[in-house]
Amino acid sequence: MKDYKPHITMLKVEIKNEDESVLTIDMSDEFVMWFKKTHNLKRWAPRQFTNWLREVLNQQEKKS
């Protein structure tokens, strides 16, 4: 059985131009707590979350 990871929900994707897009994401308190614990953070770190999300999306793109 895989380790459980709380989910985030992508609500909207806006493509601004070829190099820029905006993602609107909903994340539960459970996800925030999981992320902070997993990355050994005392408080939310937007830059670290952005880097993590990019890596996750890049991995998914490679699987496609």
Side-chain angles (χ1 to χ4, degrees), residues 7-13 22-27 53 57:
H7 294 276
I8 60 174
T9 304
M10 196 171 306
L11 301 174
K12 183 169 70 170
V13 178
V22 176
L23 306 177
T24 303
I25 297 172
D26 181 44
M27 59 186 89
L53 183 59
L57 293 173

Side-chain angles (χ1 to χ4, degrees), residues 8-22:
I8 60 174
T9 304
M10 196 171 306
L11 301 174
K12 183 169 70 170
V13 178
E14 292 178 64
I15 308 295
K16 298 287 186 179
N17 57 50
E18 189 176 300
D19 299 321
E20 182 181 11
S21 58
V22 176

